[in-house]
Amino acid sequence: MSRRVYVDEIEGQARLRAREAKLAQNAADDDSNLNQHQTQDELMEIIEQGKSIAGKAWETALVPFHAAVSKPAQKAYLGTFLFASASLFLLGLSTIAYALFYYNFVPQVSVERTIYLQFGDGHPYGTATLDSSLTSLQPYDVSLLLHLPRTPSNQAAGNFMLDLSLQSPLPRTLSSTDKLLPEVALTRRLAHSRRPAILTYSSPIIDTASTLTGLPFYVLGWKTESEVVEVNMFEGVEFAKGWATVPQEVKLVVEADEKMQFYEVGIRIFAKFGGLRWIMYHHRILSYVIFTSMFWSSSMISTLIAWIVLSSYLSTGSTAVKEEPTSPKIKAEPSEAEKYEPSLMEGLSDTSRTFPTLGRHKPLTFTGREGGAHRGGDAQVKQEDEVLESTGVQPLIAEADDEDDTIGTSAFRDSGIGTSLDEGQRARVQRRKKNATISGLAN
C-alpha cells in the first residue's frame, strides 16, 4: 500500500514537472511570438516612416513643379508671352517708323551729277537733272569739278568764266519749242552764280622737270598730263518751302576766249546739316536708340490704353444684369375694419380654439367671431328649451337628432382650422342629455 502511494506521488510529481515544463515552453513561445510581433511592428513603423519621409521629400520636390504648372502661372506665362510678342512687334514697327522718318527728314548729304557739254556755235554749255534729290529749307554748298588736259590752248585761255544756274521744274503747259526760249529760262532760274577758273600755272623749266620725273608713270599709264579744277559756285544756298522752289535741273555755260578741251565736267552738291539733322546724321546709333524708344513707348502706351478700354467694355457687356420679369401683384390684405364684416365672417366658426405647434413655438389661437359664440350659443339653448316644452316627443330621440344636427352644422360652419368640438358645445350637449333624462323619469 505504501509502495502504491509512493508510485502515485512520483507520477504526480512527474506530471507536475511536465505541466510546468509545458507552461514554461508556452510562455517562451508566447514571448518569442510577442517579440516577433514587436519586431514586425517596429519594421512596419520604420517602413511607414521611410515612406512618409520619402513622400514628404517627393512632395517638397514637386512643389516648384506644381507652382510652375498652376493656373495662375499659366495665366502669367500667357500674359508674358502676349506682352513680349506685342513688344517685339511694336519694336519692329518703331524701327520701320524711324527708318521712314530718317529717310524723309534727313536728305542726301552729297549729290553728284555729270554735265555733258555741248560744243558748236557759241560757248560750250550743258545740263544735268537733279530729280528730287534736294530738300527745301536746307543749306547747300555747290561746286564744279573740271577735268582739263594741259594742252597749249587750255593754258593759253588763262581765266575763263563758269556760269551756273539752278532751275525749277518745267511747267507742263509749255511746248517743246517754248522750253528753249531765253525768257522761259530766266523765269525758271532759282539761283545763279558766275565764277572764274584757271589752270595751275607752271614755268617751262618746272613743267619739263616734272614731266621727266614722272616719265615712267606716264609711260605705264598711271599718270596723265591733266588737272582737276574745283570751283565753289554756291555757299549755303537755301530754297524756300514748296516743290516749285526746289531746283530739279542745273545748267552750265563755259565762257572763254579760246577753244578749250575738257575730259569731264561734274557738279557736286553737299548738304550742310544743322540742329536735329546734324545729330541724326553724325550720331546715328544714339539717334536710333532715342527715337525708336520714343516711338516704341508711345505705341505701347497707346496699345495699353486701347486694351484697358476694350477690356472694360467687354467686362461691362458680359456682366450686365438682365432685367427680371415683372413680378405679379400681391393681393392686398383686408384692413382691420373689413376683417369683421358679416359677409367675410359667415364661413368662420364662432368658437375659440388653440392648436399645438412643433418645437418651442407659441401655440396658435383662434378666437372666433367676436361675440358670435356667446350670442349664437345662448339663442340656440333658448330655442331648444322652447321646443322641449311645446312638443311631447321623447327627449332622448329628439336630443339625439339635435345632437346630430348640431354637430353637422358646426362641421359645415367650421373654417377648417380644426376638426374636434369645442368644450362649450360639448358641455351644452351633456346638459341637454341630462335634462332629457330627468324629464323622461318624471313622465
Side-chain angles (χ1 to χ4, degrees), residues 337-375:
E338 295 176 351
K339 288 182 179 180
Y340 300 102
E341 290 184 0
S343 59
L344 298 177
M345 298 292 290
E346 289 179 356
L348 299 179
S349 177
D350 297 333
T351 58
S352 300
R353 292 183 177 87
T354 302
F355 303 96
T357 57
L358 298 176
R360 299 181 178 179
H361 297 284
K362 186 177 180 181
L364 299 176
T365 304
F366 177 71
T367 57
R369 292 183 293 182
E370 295 183 358
H374 300 285
R375 291 192 300 270

Side-chain angles (χ1 to χ4, degrees), residues 56-197:
K56 290 181 180 178
W58 180 251
E59 291 178 358
T60 304
L62 290 179
V63 166
F65 178 75
H66 290 311
V69 298
S70 60
K71 289 186 178 180
Q74 293 177 3
K75 292 182 180 179
Y77 297 153
L78 181 59
T80 304
F81 174 75
L82 293 177
F83 178 79
S85 302
S87 299
L88 293 176
F89 179 73
L90 294 178
L91 180 61
L93 289 181
S94 301
T95 303
I96 296 174
Y98 175 74
L100 295 176
F101 174 71
Y102 183 89
Y103 177 78
N104 292 323
F105 185 73
V106 180
Q108 297 182 20
V109 64
S110 178
V111 179
E112 295 184 2
R113 295 289 187 273
T114 300
I115 301 175
Y116 298 96
L117 296 177
Q118 304 294 323
F119 294 88
D121 296 338
H123 302 292
Y125 69 94
T127 59
T129 304
L130 300 177
D131 297 329
S132 58
S133 301
L134 303 183
T135 305
S136 60
L137 304 178
Q138 171 62 48
Y140 289 97
D141 290 342
V142 182
S143 61
L144 291 173
L145 301 175
L146 307 175
H147 190 192
L148 303 171
R150 296 184 64 84
T151 60
S153 61
N154 285 345
Q155 292 180 354
N159 288 321
F160 57 91
M161 297 299 297
L162 301 174
D163 187 291
L164 183 65
S165 300
L166 303 179
Q167 299 178 348
S168 63
L170 288 171
R172 297 180 180 179
T173 57
L174 295 178
S175 62
S176 59
T177 56
D178 294 338
K179 295 178 181 179
L180 302 177
L181 295 176
E183 295 82 0
V184 176
L186 291 175
T187 56
R188 294 178 55 200
R189 182 182 295 176
L190 298 176
H192 179 255
S193 177
R194 290 173 57 86
R195 300 288 173 91

Side-chain angles (χ1 to χ4, degrees), residues 309-323:
V309 172
L310 183 61
S311 300
S312 61
Y313 176 75
L314 293 178
S315 61
T316 304
S318 61
T319 57
V321 180
K322 296 182 179 180
E323 296 183 358

